[in-house]
């Protein structure tokens, strides 16, 4: 499930954006219907939006229950910015503007902070005990199977 839609991205960029970066066939503007799910531009956009949602889910996995039952405004904004970046990357792969790269890097940093638990979202946690835990370290070792157990330390 994609977090971004053409409507959500259209609030940040205009229709010319979609025509410039997604119109591989050079169709006339009158022929394009961004409301039609079968239009090739909409299909291209939706594919990119799903790929971005998968990237975001990889950061959320292990911390929040997936698939998300609700989307926070933070996730929506991050998804929209990354979707815009990926749409532009279709044409500007070699010459991506520095400002666009900075936005992408900022969204990556925010996602890494969410993954690390330094930013907590109002979403359903993976398990009830993990809500609000940051920097948690889990191990499967017990007192008896550690290499440096208390008996070994007492020898020194």
């Amino acid at each position: 499930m994609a977090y971004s839609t053409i409507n959500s991205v259209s609030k940040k960029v205009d229709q010319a954006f979609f025509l410039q970066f997604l119109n591989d066939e050079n169709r006339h503007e009158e022929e394009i219907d961004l409301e039609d799910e079968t239009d090739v531009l909409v299909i291209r956009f939706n594919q990119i939006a799903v790929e971005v949602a998968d990237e975001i889910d990889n950061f959320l996995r292990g911390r929040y229950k997936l698939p998300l039952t609700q989307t926070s405004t933070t996730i929506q904004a991050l998804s929209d910015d990354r979707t815009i970046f990926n749409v532009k990357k279709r044409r500007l792969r070699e010459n991506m503007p520095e400002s666009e790269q900075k936005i992408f890097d900022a969204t990556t940093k925010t996602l890494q902070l969410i993954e690390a638990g330094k930013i907590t979202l109002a979403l359903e946690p993976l398990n009830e005990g993990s809500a609000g835990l940051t920097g948690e370290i889990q191990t499967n070792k017990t007192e008896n199977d550690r290499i440096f157990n208390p008996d070994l330390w007492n020898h020194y």
Side-chain angles (χ1 to χ4, degrees):
M1 177 186 94
Y3 301 122
S4 293
T5 63
I6 286 184
N7 290 333
S8 67
V9 172
S10 292
K11 294 174 184 172
K12 297 181 178 183
V13 295
D14 61 355
Q15 186 172 352
F17 169 83
F18 295 107
L19 299 177
Q20 179 181 6
F21 294 104
L22 295 172
N23 189 5
D24 294 346
E25 295 80 18
N26 293 322
R27 293 172 26 210
H28 292 282
E29 190 172 330
E30 306 83 42
E31 299 173 8
I32 297 170
D33 183 9
L34 295 177
E35 305 281 326
D36 180 12
E37 292 291 321
T38 62
D39 192 295
V40 70
L41 268 73
V42 175
I43 292 170
R44 283 186 190 115
F45 175 86
N46 288 338
Q47 179 183 357
I48 292 169
V50 167
E51 290 170 1
V52 167
D54 286 343
E55 287 177 33
I56 291 172
D57 285 350
N58 287 334
F59 284 99
L60 299 178
R61 190 168 281 110
R63 186 155 299 279
Y64 295 102
K65 190 173 184 179
L66 297 176
L68 297 179
T69 55
Q70 62 185 11
T71 304
S72 72
T73 55
T74 303
I75 295 298
Q76 181 71 51
L78 292 170
S79 178
D80 288 349
D81 286 344
R82 291 177 83 86
T83 299
I84 290 168
F85 179 86
N86 285 352
V87 167
K88 287 183 177 182
K89 189 171 71 173
R90 292 184 78 244
R91 298 266 192 241
L92 304 174
R93 183 174 294 277
E94 301 297 323
N95 299 318
M96 187 63 76
E98 185 177 337
S99 61
E100 292 294 329
Q101 188 63 48
K102 285 182 181 181
I103 292 170
F104 182 81
D105 292 343
T107 62
T108 301
K109 184 174 181 176
T110 302
L111 287 167
Q112 288 170 339
L113 291 172
I114 292 169
E115 180 182 40
K118 295 180 181 176
I119 295 177
T120 304
L121 302 174
L123 299 173
E124 184 178 355
L126 186 60
N127 53 33
E128 294 303 317
S130 69
L133 294 178
T134 60
E136 177 183 14
I137 298 173
Q138 297 179 350
T139 181
N140 63 354
K141 297 297 178 197
T142 65
E143 189 74 25
N144 295 328
D145 66 353
R146 294 189 314 191
I147 295 174
F148 294 103
N149 60 30
D151 291 336
L152 182 63
W153 284 112
N154 288 335
H155 284 43
Y156 295 102

